[in-house]
């Protein structure tokens, strides 16, 4: 056991091979992140979360991610971390903020959990855009973990701009649809988040 392979679902390849919508607006990028979350649910390939990394200077989609925790049997395989790791592979280095690279933006259908929040400063992204709120994910039973209440400021202090509530209603609708369809809720051991 000395190798780690994390794959996105098979439907991602054809999706990216087809002509993509114009992603020049933040709304369009969030729509794609939400669409990834929705497709992940409808395809039965994971949780209701989608993300992407966009090069703001080149105006180019760098990577996408969806939640593949169940399929990969890996608790870190959240949409944001998949998108960040794939972007780093695509850019040839662990730091998306390295000299010579464009400014990178992470767009996520749902506010990052404690783990993904922790990964963001190390990723090198300069901007974060979130759709649904932490509270929206908690409302259907997902545990978002012990994130600082002033997490937006914490990122801002590290030079990472944060935008919240972009198309929040559309993003929240995917979470609700997942819950109503009886989708699996997987959390840290022994914590009933409905009481927090
Ligand atoms: Zn996460």
């Amino acid at each position: 056991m000395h190798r780690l392979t994390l794959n996105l679902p098979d439907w991602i390849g054809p999706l990216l091979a087809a002509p993509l919508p114009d992603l020049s607006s933040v709304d369009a990028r969030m729509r794609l992140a939400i669409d990834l979350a929705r497709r992940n649910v409808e395809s039965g390939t994971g949780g209701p979360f989608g993300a992407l990394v966009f090069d703001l200077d080149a105006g180019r989609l760098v990577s996408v991610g969806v939640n593949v925790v169940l399929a990969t049997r890996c608790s870190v395989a959240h949409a944001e971390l998949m998108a960040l790791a794939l972007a780093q592979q695509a850019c040839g280095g662990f730091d998306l903020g390295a000299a010579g690279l464009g400014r990178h933006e992470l767009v996520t259908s749902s506010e990052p959990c404690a783990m993904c929040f922790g990964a963001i400063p190390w990723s090198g992204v300069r901007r974060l855009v979130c759709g649904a709120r932490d509270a929206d994910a908690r409302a259907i039973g997902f545990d978002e973990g012990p994130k600082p209440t002033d997490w937006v400021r914490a990122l801002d202090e590290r030079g990472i701009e944060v935008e919240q509530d972009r198309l929040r209603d559309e993003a929240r609708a995917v979470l609700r649809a997942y819950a109503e369809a009886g989708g699996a809720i997987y959390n840290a051991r022994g914590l009933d988040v409905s009481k927090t």
Side-chain angles (χ1 to χ4, degrees):
M1 297 296 283
H2 62 287
R3 288 183 200 277
L4 177 65
T5 303
L6 297 174
N7 292 317
L8 290 178
D10 289 342
W11 54 264
I12 294 275
L15 180 81
L16 294 180
L20 289 167
D22 177 2
L23 296 175
S24 56
S25 74
V26 184
D27 271 1
R29 300 198 284 279
M30 179 55 76
R31 255 187 213 105
L32 177 55
I34 294 170
D35 190 45
L36 288 163
R38 185 182 300 115
R39 285 172 190 260
N40 205 32
V41 173
E42 291 174 356
S43 306
T45 45
F49 303 101
L52 61 89
V53 172
F54 191 76
D55 182 332
L56 292 165
D57 292 327
R60 185 176 63 87
L61 180 70
V62 180
S63 66
V64 301
V66 293
N67 179 296
V68 285
V69 166
L70 295 174
T72 60
R73 304 179 185 88
C74 177
S75 65
V76 307
H78 285 193
E80 299 96 315
L81 296 192
M82 294 296 291
L84 289 172
L86 286 163
Q88 290 159 350
Q89 297 283 297
C91 292
F94 64 88
D95 183 7
L96 297 173
L101 295 180
R103 290 173 306 122
H104 285 90
E105 174 188 73
L106 174 64
V107 180
T108 176
S109 66
S110 234
E111 191 177 303
C113 71
M115 173 176 69
C116 296
F117 159 75
I120 287 168
W122 274 260
S123 71
V125 295
R126 308 318 304 166
R127 193 173 137 77
L128 170 68
V129 184
C130 315
R133 288 257 180 166
D134 184 313
D136 302 330
R138 286 183 198 272
I140 65 162
F142 277 110
D143 173 18
E144 295 293 276
K147 196 166 59 179
T149 52
D150 59 350
W151 67 275
V152 171
R153 196 181 71 177
L155 291 181
D156 187 62
E157 286 173 353
R158 287 174 173 267
I160 300 166
E161 182 188 353
V162 178
E163 181 184 331
Q164 294 177 282
D165 300 334
R166 178 66 69 162
L167 303 183
R168 180 181 178 182
D169 288 346
E170 291 176 38
R172 185 165 42 190
V174 177
L175 297 176
R176 287 182 177 159
Y178 180 77
E180 283 164 10
I185 307 290
Y186 38 87
N187 281 324
R189 185 172 308 282
L191 179 61
D192 182 352
V193 294
S194 67
K195 297 191 176 105
T196 59

